[in-house]
C-alpha cells in the first residue's frame, strides 16, 4: 500500500488549493464542476462515496482518523495539513473542526436514466427557484431519509452542491441522483473527465422545470405541487401510492404559476390563518412522511 502523500501548508497558493481559497465564491466552484465538503461527517461520507475526490485539508490530529478511508480510495489524494485556526484565517470564516475536502461533481446523465434506475412506485422531488442553500440542503437530507429516488433542480434554483447545501444535507447529497436544469456550465462539464466514475448527477440544461414535469406526467408520474394556498386538497386527501413527483416552491414566491400549471394537482398542509407557511425543508419532511406512511413504510 502506498504511503499517504501528506504536505504541510502555510498558504493556499498552490493551484490545486485554489478551491479552498475561493470558498466564498461558490459560483466559481459550480462552473468548475467541483464542490467543497466541510466537517468530519461530510468529508467521511465523501471519502466513502463513489464521487471523485481531489484533495483533503485537515489539522494533523485528524490524519489517523481519515487514513484508512483515504488509503482505500482508488485515486491518489494529497492530504494537506493545516491547523484549524490557521485555516480559518485563510478561508475567512470559523469552522467547527477545520476538516475540508474537494470533490468532483459527477458528469450529467438523462431523465431516461433516472426513470430506468428508479423502481416503482417512483418518488421524485423537484425544487422551483429555491435559492437558499441551507434550505436546499435540509430538503435534500429529508429526501434521502424518506427514499426519494431523484431530485430535480429547477432552472432558477441554486445548486445542491453549493458548500452550504452540501453541509446542511450532512453529505446525503452524495446519495441522491440529481437532475439539474440550472447548469451554467454545460460546455465546461461536457469536456471534463471523471476516470472510473459512474456519476449520478444528471442534467438537461435546455429544459425548464415545467417542461420536465409535463414530461414526467406523460410517462405516468403524477406531479404534485406542495402549495400552502390551495383549498382544493389537503395532504391527507392526496394519493401518493403511485409514481409521483413533489414540487416545492421558493422561500419568497412559493411555487411559480408555470410549475403549478404543469402539475396534476396542488396540495396543502393545513395551517392556521395566522401562519403563512412552513419552511420548505419542514414542508418537505411533512409531505415525505405522508408518502412513506401511505406506502406502508412507517411501521
Ligand atoms: C416558505 S414556503 C413559501 C411561502 C410563500 N410566501 C408562498 O406564498 O407560497 C416554501 C415552500 O414550502 C412548501 N410549503 C410550505 N408550507 C406549506 C404548506 N402549508 N402546504 C404545502 N406546502 C407548503 C411549498 O412548496 C412552498 O412553496
Amino acid at each position: 500500500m502506498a504511503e499517504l502523500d501528506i504536505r504541510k501548508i502555510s498558504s493556499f497558493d498552490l493551484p490545486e488549493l485554489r478551491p479552498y481559497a475561493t470558498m466564498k465564491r461558490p459560483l466559481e466552484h459550480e462552473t468548475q464542476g467541483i464542490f467543497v465538503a466541510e466537517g468530519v461527517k461530510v468529508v467521511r461520507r465523501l471519502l466513502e462515496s463513489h464521487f471523485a475526490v481531489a484533495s483533503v485539508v485537515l489539522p494533523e490530529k485528524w490524519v489517523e482518523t481519515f487514513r484508512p478511508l483515504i488509503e482505500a480510495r482508488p485515486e491518489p489524494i494529497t492530504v494537506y495539513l493545516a491547523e484549524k485556526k490557521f485555516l480559518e484565517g485563510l478561508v475567512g470564516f470559523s469552522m467547527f473542526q477545520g476538516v475540508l475536502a474537494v470533490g468532483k461533481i459527477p458528469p450529467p446523465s438523462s431523465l431516461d436514466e433516472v426513470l430506468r434506475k428508479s423502481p416503482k412506485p417512483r418518488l421524485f422531488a423537484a425544487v422551483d427557484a429555491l435559492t437558499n442553500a441551507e434550505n436546499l440542503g435540509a430538503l435534500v437530507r429529508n429526501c434521502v431519509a424518506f427514499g426519494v429516488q431523484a431530485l430535480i433542480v429547477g432552472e432558477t434554483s441554486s445548486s445542491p452542491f453549493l458548500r452550504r447545501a452540501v453541509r446542511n444535507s450532512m453529505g446525503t447529497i452524495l446519495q441522491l441522483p440529481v437532475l439539474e436544469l440550472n447548469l451554467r456550465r454545460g460546455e465546461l462539464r461536457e469536456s471534463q473527465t471523471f476516470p472510473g466514475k459512474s456519476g449520478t448527477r444528471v442534467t438537461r440544461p435546455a429544459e425548464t422545470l415545467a417542461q420536465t414535469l409535463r414530461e414526467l406526467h406523460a410517462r405516468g408520474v403524477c406531479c404534485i405541487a406542495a402549495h400552502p394556498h390551495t383549498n382544493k386538497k389537503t395532504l391527507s386527501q392526496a394519493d401518493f401510492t403511485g409514481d409521483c413527483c413533489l414540487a416545492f416552491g421558493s422561500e419568497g414566491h412559493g411555487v411559480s404559476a408555470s410549475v403549478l400549471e404543469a402539475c396534476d394537482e396542488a396540495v396543502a398542509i393545513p395551517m392556521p390563518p395566522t401562519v403563512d407557511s412552513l419552511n420548505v425543508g419542514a414542508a418537505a419532511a411533512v409531505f415525505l412522511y405522508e408518502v412513506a406512511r401511505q406506502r406502508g413504510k412507517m411501521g
Side-chain angles (χ1 to χ4, degrees), residues 128 130 135 225-230 235 247-256 267-271 275-284 287:
D128 179 21
L130 197 54
N135 285 346
H227 189 45
H229 308 301
T230 182
L235 191 60
F248 296 95
S250 73
E251 298 84 0
H253 302 292
V255 182
S256 64
V267 170
I269 302 163
M271 315 239 57
V275 180
D276 169 74
S277 61
L278 294 173
N279 166 280
V280 67
F287 265 78

Side-chain angles (χ1 to χ4, degrees), residues 61-94:
K61 70 171 186 177
W62 289 105
V63 170
E64 291 315 311
T65 306
F66 283 99
R67 180 185 291 277
L69 285 173
I70 297 169
E71 286 178 345
R73 296 287 309 184
E75 72 277 59
I77 299 173
T78 304
V79 177
Y80 296 96
L81 290 188
E83 291 315 308
K84 187 167 101 69
K85 275 266 164 290
F86 172 73
L87 266 181
E88 287 175 340
L90 289 181
V91 299
F93 55 84
S94 57

Side-chain angles (χ1 to χ4, degrees), residues 129-188:
L130 197 54
T131 51
N132 181 295
E134 271 94 1
N135 285 346
L136 191 49
L139 181 136
V140 164
R141 190 173 177 181
N142 293 332
C143 285
V144 174
F146 288 105
V148 168
Q149 292 157 311
L151 175 69
I152 303 165
V153 179
E155 67 279 9
T156 51
S157 283
S158 292
S159 166
F161 288 96
L162 292 180
R163 178 177 57 84
R164 289 194 172 118
V166 172
R167 189 184 61 202
N168 253 34
S169 84
M170 286 307 297
T172 54
I173 186 62
L174 307 172
Q175 301 169 45
L176 183 65
V178 178
L179 192 155
E180 284 203 74
L181 309 172
N182 63 343
L183 287 189
R184 286 169 275 269
R185 52 199 181 281
E187 283 170 35
L188 189 87

Side-chain angles (χ1 to χ4, degrees), residues 8-86:
K8 271 203 167 139
I9 53 168
S10 54
S11 76
F12 284 148
D13 287 347
L14 290 170
E16 60 268 36
L17 292 173
R18 183 162 171 79
Y20 300 102
T22 54
M23 296 224 296
K24 285 185 168 170
R25 299 207 291 277
L27 288 186
E28 205 169 300
H29 294 174
E30 229 188 307
T31 16
Q32 292 164 3
I34 58 170
F35 63 95
V36 175
E38 197 183 343
V40 167
K41 275 194 186 148
V42 180
V43 170
R44 186 192 297 277
R45 284 189 177 149
L46 173 61
L47 290 167
E48 286 167 349
S49 78
H50 65 270
F51 282 57
V53 180
S55 61
V56 175
V57 174
L58 37 74
E60 191 158 15
K61 70 171 186 177
W62 289 105
V63 170
E64 291 315 311
T65 306
F66 283 99
R67 180 185 291 277
L69 285 173
I70 297 169
E71 286 178 345
R73 296 287 309 184
E75 72 277 59
I77 299 173
T78 304
V79 177
Y80 296 96
L81 290 188
E83 291 315 308
K84 187 167 101 69
K85 275 266 164 290
F86 172 73

Side-chain angles (χ1 to χ4, degrees), residues 111-125 146-150 215-224 239-246 288 291 295 297:
L111 183 64
D112 285 340
E113 197 177 336
V114 164
L115 286 165
R116 202 173 55 247
K117 287 183 174 168
S118 306
K120 284 169 169 278
R122 292 171 173 135
L123 178 58
F124 304 130
F146 288 105
V148 168
Q149 292 157 311
E215 196 171 332
L216 281 171
H217 168 86
R219 294 179 183 218
V221 178
C222 180
C223 297
I224 300 171
D239 181 1
F240 298 109
T241 53
D243 289 356
C244 59
C245 176
L246 310 178
L288 291 168
V291 175
R295 293 181 177 193
K297 292 186 176 163

